[in-house]
Amino acid sequence: MEKQGSTPLKEELQKLSVVPCEAEKDMQTLLSKPKVLKHAENIEHAGEHSPVDLLPEEEGQKKSIRQSDRSISSTSTCSSVAYSSPESDQVFSEEEDIQTKRKTLRKTKSWKTFFTMVHWSLRRQNSWVQLAGHEGNFKASERGHILKKFSPVENACLVALMEDVLRPYVPTYYGLVEREEQTYIKMEDLLMGLEAPSIMDCKIGVRTYLEEELAKALLKPTPRKDMYNKMVALEPEAPTPEEHKQQAVTKPRYMQWRESVSSTALLGFRIEGVTVEAGPVKKNFKKMKSRDKIMETFVIFTKGRKDILAAYLDRLENMQAALQNSQFFHTHEVIGSSLLFVHDRRGFSNVWMIDFGKTTPAPSHINLRHDVPWQPGTHEDGYLLGLKNLIASIQDTMRIVEETAEEATGCPIQEAEKDTVSEKTLLKREIEGNTTNGENKEL
Ligand code: I3P
């Protein structure tokens, strides 16, 4: 990326990153390279303020903040949790079912469920999984594991993935268990061992609905008032006159609109939710479309730590290579799946592939590429397009972080210091009581 002049992102970084050339020694002890998280440890709430309020606010959106937590290692050995919607493959069945399912789904959406659980657990200074049962989709299990409501689609994926080269990038699957007449998938708890983790969920791919869902909607359109309401809340002018009249839209119409107003259609990924250091969860990214805004979010999510950004980049590049060799990936359209980014202040970090509730085998005559735009009938998901753009956005974020730190310090940054300079400046600001905590800034 070329050196840029003053941009909103750089300006914000400059505000955060003013540090003299000779940074205090004690700071250096706090600044470490990314670490590999090997063993599950208790999660404790740091009780510190989070900079999540600094996350770029999207136009026309109200804040809706909740909480989260859960993490991983930067090794390629398995483990994690999935936050998919197991029911999502069924959403276009009979209308009466849809009403019921809609209610259930709304209550059991992965992110909502996940963050609610985590919020409780952190408040109680306890293992979050012990509280999982309070929400529909997840249930507590023994330490290091979680239970997720059974979905045949997701279950089949996880079984297959345990035998695939992608195994190191997905939650470890421990089979099925029964609890109170309900079947659950047992998976590894991805947040075990992280202290006040920062978490970001990015939905990957250019398409978020199944071709099958589209076909069903064309055959038998099912108007969704809830989706109309969500659409109007964000963009009152978005519905057509007919949709306004009906006060309803079909699901594919809503999903396509969501893709177009967010970065999904353009970049093949979108940020769904973020929490910084176990702070409040921010989910109002629905209209976040520009790469600049996304990069601002990356900066705030990582607090400008180049070591964390570098670790994420490394993991994503390895994942990209593994995907090329994956039999599973060659034969499945991956829809509605996310990448879960997790790290903590100590520098433990990882990225996981999660949510396989809508990942299905493509018809056998289809040779999926994953790096081309979708056309009806191709079953392409644009997963690799999204991953490539995500990687490029993180690379550019790193460069800007580095450039800004150099400009702010007025002296060239030694290689060894580059990774940590932004964190130093943040810490310095905290020490000086000059943090931006609590502010709700537009970047
Ligand atoms: C939801 C989001 C989910 C989708 C859900 C949408 O919209 O697109 O991915 O669930 O459909 O309502 P939003 O993020 O704007 O709230 P699936 O991926 O499982 O289809 P649903 O309401 O039919 O569950």
Side-chain angles (χ1 to χ4, degrees):
M1 188 178 177
E2 285 174 26
K3 276 212 164 197
Q4 298 183 354
S6 186
T7 65
L9 173 55
K10 287 184 87 170
E11 281 167 19
E12 188 57 32
L13 272 162
Q14 277 156 0
K15 278 185 234 155
L16 291 171
S17 305
V18 181
V19 69
C21 296
E22 289 138 34
E24 288 82 350
K25 284 225 168 110
D26 59 336
M27 280 185 190
Q28 302 206 12
T29 61
L30 292 166
L31 307 169
S32 51
K33 292 278 182 190
K35 299 167 186 71
V36 173
L37 180 61
K38 298 216 169 156
H39 302 290
E41 300 292 342
N42 276 327
I43 296 167
E44 288 172 32
H45 191 189
E48 289 180 30
H49 151 82
S50 152
V52 74
D53 286 345
L54 291 175
L55 288 168
E57 195 73 25
E58 286 307 299
E59 292 158 33
Q61 291 194 50
K62 285 193 178 159
K63 284 183 143 194
S64 94
I65 292 180
R66 302 188 72 185
Q67 180 117 352
S68 91
D69 167 335
R70 127 165 301 164
S71 110
I72 307 279
S73 66
S74 57
T75 59
S76 55
T77 40
C78 48
S79 86
S80 77
V81 155
Y83 318 103
S84 61
S85 342
E87 302 90 341
S88 54
D89 57 313
Q90 304 163 2
V91 291
F92 275 80
S93 52
E94 295 304 307
E95 186 165 2
E96 53 271 28
D97 286 342
I98 288 174
Q99 299 304 327
T100 319
K101 280 172 189 160
R102 232 179 267 149
K103 282 183 197 155
T104 312
L105 280 167
R106 226 165 291 130
K107 282 186 187 154
T108 60
K109 275 303 161 198
S110 50
W111 254 78
K112 289 168 195 162
T113 305
F114 167 63
F115 282 116
T116 301
M117 291 188 298
V118 170
H119 182 62
W120 287 335
S121 70
L122 291 173
R123 276 202 321 228
R124 295 176 193 200
Q125 303 272 307
N126 209 340
S127 171
W128 71 279
V129 290
Q130 291 174 25
L131 299 154
H134 287 274
E135 291 272 321
N137 229 20
F138 292 93
K139 198 169 179 61
S141 186
E142 68 267 32
R143 192 176 149 81
H145 302 136
I146 63 153
L147 304 181
K148 183 175 181 182
K149 220 175 238 180
F150 176 72
S151 142
V153 175
E154 180 152 49
N155 190 66
C157 287
L158 289 169
V159 168
L161 283 162
M162 289 304 100
E163 304 299 321
D164 192 83
V165 294
L166 289 178
R167 178 177 174 142
Y169 300 92
V170 299
T172 299
Y173 171 78
Y174 294 108
L176 300 178
V177 297
E178 296 288 325
R179 295 281 187 282
E180 293 151 11
E181 298 177 11
Q182 168 77 50
T183 307
Y184 291 89
I185 297 171
K186 189 173 182 179
M187 289 183 258
E188 185 170 352
D189 175 2
L190 294 178
L191 295 185
M192 281 300 277
L194 291 192
E195 289 178 4
S198 298
I199 306 168
M200 177 172 71
D201 180 303
C202 286
K203 194 172 270 195
I204 302 287
V206 293
R207 179 164 55 98
T208 56
Y209 53 89
L210 295 167
E211 289 199 2
E212 180 192 315
E213 292 178 326
L214 186 58
K216 281 184 188 168
L218 288 173
L219 273 177
K220 187 185 173 193
T222 306
R224 295 270 304 256
K225 286 192 186 301
D226 61 322
M227 289 187 157
Y228 170 84
N229 290 336
K230 285 199 282 186
M231 186 185 262
V232 170
L234 205 63
E235 258 186 21
E237 70 286 3
T240 64
E242 183 61 26
E243 287 165 345
H244 273 307
K245 202 169 143 202
Q246 288 194 344
Q247 304 240 308
V249 294
T250 64
K251 180 165 177 178
R253 158 78 171 123
Y254 176 79
M255 301 292 265
Q256 284 173 348
W257 167 79
R258 278 279 277 120
E259 291 164 7
S260 68
V261 296
S262 68
S263 55
T264 289
L266 196 66
L267 299 174
F269 75 90
R270 71 177 181 231
I271 297 175
E272 289 276 295
V274 172
T275 182
V276 180
E277 294 185 357
V281 172
K282 184 154 177 172
K283 295 194 294 176
N284 54 336
F285 300 97
K286 285 189 177 179
K287 285 183 83 176
M288 183 171 281
K289 199 168 179 171
S290 80
R291 216 158 164 270
D292 282 353
K293 285 281 182 194
I294 288 167
M295 284 160 60
E296 287 169 29
T297 304
F298 291 164
V299 165
I300 291 163
F301 171 58
T302 58
K303 292 178 91 180
R305 278 183 65 166
K306 204 183 155 216
D307 61 331
I308 299 287
L309 287 164
Y312 281 147
L313 194 56
D314 191 49
R315 173 78 166 167
L316 289 177
E317 284 170 347
N318 289 335
M319 186 186 288
Q320 197 178 33
L323 285 165
Q324 302 290 351
N325 297 320
S326 164
Q327 180 61 19
F328 179 89
F329 193 56
H330 287 317
T331 53
H332 285 71
E333 55 181 308
V334 186
I335 303 296
S337 182
S338 284
L339 289 178
L340 191 76
F341 293 73
V342 293
H343 67 267
D344 70 11
R345 289 193 79 176
R346 300 169 301 169
F348 293 112
S349 69
N350 218 328
V351 187
W352 301 96
M353 294 173 68
I354 60 164
D355 285 354
F356 302 105
K358 287 169 80 172
T359 294
T360 52
S364 53
H365 65 280
I366 299 277
N367 189 19
L368 287 173
R369 290 190 47 178
H370 301 282
D371 63 350
V372 289
W374 174 71
Q375 298 292 333
T378 63
H379 290 264
E380 289 292 351
D381 50 30
Y383 195 99
L384 290 177
L385 290 178
L387 185 56
K388 195 174 157 198
N389 282 323
L390 188 50
I391 287 173
S393 303
I394 293 176
Q395 283 168 336
D396 287 349
T397 308
M398 283 175 67
R399 285 191 196 105
I400 291 180
V401 165
E402 197 173 296
E403 267 177 34
T404 312
E406 282 181 7
E407 284 165 17
T409 57
C411 63
I413 299 166
Q414 299 305 309
E415 279 305 314
E417 283 190 358
K418 278 183 180 174
D419 287 350
T420 56
V421 68
S422 297
E423 181 71 356
K424 285 176 188 173
T425 61
L426 285 166
L427 286 167
K428 181 170 171 56
R429 285 175 63 89
E430 282 173 21
I431 288 163
E432 291 171 353
N434 191 25
T435 67
T436 48
N437 288 357
E439 291 177 26
N440 178 23
K441 281 194 167 187
E442 286 282 336
L443 290 180

